[in-house]
């Protein structure tokens, strides 16, 4: 699904307390691209990702996910699109501590009303894909940071999404583990044609994507090529 952003602006708060988080942001990401979004702290990266994923509202402009003009959609329509077409990976993994690895991975399928047994089989397949099948019955507290991030990636891909959004996916990991995680996202991008959009501070991560969109003070100041952070 092509991602199209036109004249996107976003302000938090009002009057004196207003913060302009995004100003007239514009770009297109084609299906199957792997793109990093970089820029200094507070420049609007997470805000942009949340808007693209339909988690945050916008003030003006347009956001299209494929044929869907999500700037005109209500929460329920967007929630359905998120569940069926998008996967998420976060810096802090966001796993449920009282569920095992495979149960965490199965969650989006259960939320989408899949039968539990089918959800379990698909969760195990996704864990196999990220090389963690032997840890399927472990709890997050019994896994390393890199392993937990692989569980989170398995959860992101279990519904076979067209797009994966990742916000600082390597932020909590050491360099070697970070490289493994990026390698895994590259593999998904190349083998399945999944669009991968990664917000990152890490020059190693940005250096591994074909395209980098750089933000500063809410504006796109560079778009294209690999770039330093
Ligand atoms: N919910 C909110 N309410 C008010 N202001 C917000 C909110 N979320 C973000 N902001 C402000 O909007 C601007 C952009 O924030 P954002 O989180 O998108 O930055 P970022 O580039 O992701 O930063 P970092 O690299 O530190 O994660 C910042 O000035 C921030 O303080
Ligand atoms: Mg952020």
């Amino acid at each position: 699904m092509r991602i199209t952003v036109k004249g996107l602006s976003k302000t938090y708060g009002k009057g004196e307390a207003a913060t302009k988080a995004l100003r007239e942001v514009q770009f297109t990401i084609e299906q199957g691209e792997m793109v990093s979004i970089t820029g200094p702290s507070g420049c609007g990266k997470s805000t942009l990702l949340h808007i693209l994923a339909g988690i945050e509202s916008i003030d003006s402009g347009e956001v299209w996910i494929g044929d869907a003009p999500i700037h005109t959609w209500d929460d329920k329509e967007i929630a359905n699109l998120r569940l069926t077409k998008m996967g998420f990976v976060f810096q802090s993994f966001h796993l449920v501590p009282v569920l095992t690895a495979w149960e965490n991975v199965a969650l989006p399928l259960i939320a989408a009303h899949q039968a539990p047994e089918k959800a379990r089989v698909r969760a195990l397949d996704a864990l196999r894909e990220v090389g963690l099948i032997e840890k399927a019955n472990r709890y997050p507290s019994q896994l390393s940071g890199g392993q937990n991030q692989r569980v989170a990636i398995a959860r992101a891909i279990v519904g076979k999404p067209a797009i994966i959004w990742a916000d600082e996916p390597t932020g909590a990991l050491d360099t070697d583990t970070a490289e493994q995680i990026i390698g895994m996202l590259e593999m998904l991008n190349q083998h399945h044609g999944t669009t991968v959009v990664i917000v990152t501070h890490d020059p190693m991560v940005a250096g591994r994507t074909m395209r980098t969109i750089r933000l500063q003070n809410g504006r796109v100041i560079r778009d294209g090529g690999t770039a330093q952070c």
Side-chain angles (χ1 to χ4, degrees):
M1 301 169 102
R2 175 186 284 167
I3 302 159
T4 310
V5 177
K6 293 182 192 167
L8 170 62
S9 295
K10 169 79 181 176
T11 302
Y12 289 108
K14 288 203 168 74
E16 297 264 304
T19 306
K20 281 205 160 191
L22 296 173
R23 305 163 195 253
E24 294 288 320
V25 170
Q26 195 132 323
F27 56 77
T28 301
I29 295 174
E30 300 295 339
Q31 177 64 44
E33 276 197 83
M34 181 154 168
V35 178
S36 52
I37 298 175
T38 66
S41 181
C43 70
K45 303 181 297 295
S46 295
T47 300
L48 175 60
L49 204 72
H50 293 161
I51 287 175
L52 294 177
I55 296 166
E56 188 78 70
S57 66
I58 72 177
D59 299 334
S60 59
E62 298 180 13
V63 177
W64 294 73
I65 303 294
D67 299 334
I70 64 167
H71 53 286
T72 68
W73 281 20
D74 64 26
D75 287 351
K76 203 172 160 199
E77 289 173 306
I78 294 177
N80 188 47
L81 183 76
R82 258 202 308 275
L83 215 46
T84 55
K85 302 285 192 246
M86 300 175 180
F88 294 85
V89 181
F90 304 93
Q91 175 170 354
S92 51
F93 321 138
H94 289 202
L95 299 174
V96 181
V98 297
L99 299 180
T100 63
W102 80 260
E103 288 168 340
N104 267 285
V105 175
L107 271 185
L109 301 178
I110 301 295
H113 309 296
Q114 280 217 0
E117 185 50 30
K118 199 170 167 203
R120 194 178 79 92
V121 170
R122 289 184 65 182
L124 294 175
D125 283 346
L127 279 174
R128 197 170 291 115
E129 180 140 19
V130 299
L132 269 190
I133 187 68
E134 76 281 12
K135 311 278 190 217
N137 291 316
R138 297 258 189 115
Y139 291 91
S141 64
Q142 300 171 323
L143 296 170
S144 69
Q147 289 168 343
N148 275 321
Q149 196 58 304
R150 278 150 71 189
V151 174
I153 290 176
R155 182 186 54 190
I157 63 173
V158 75
K160 303 204 183 304
I163 306 168
I164 291 181
W165 310 114
D167 195 351
E168 300 280 5
T170 62
L173 305 174
D174 64 51
T175 312
D176 285 352
T177 315
E179 291 215 23
Q180 272 182 26
I181 292 298
I182 293 306
M184 200 143 280
L185 292 171
E186 272 171 355
M187 184 269 293
L188 294 168
N189 171 254
Q190 284 164 16
H191 289 191
H192 301 295
T194 312
T195 305
V196 178
V197 180
I198 310 174
V199 163
T200 185
H201 278 109
D202 184 344
M204 180 280 288
V205 175
R208 291 213 7 205
T209 62
M210 292 286 285
R211 174 179 172 194
T212 298
I213 297 174
R214 186 170 173 81
L215 295 181
Q216 192 172 308
N217 201 13
R219 289 184 203 283
V220 175
I221 58 161
R222 218 180 120 167
D223 183 353
T226 47
Q228 264 77 52
C229 284

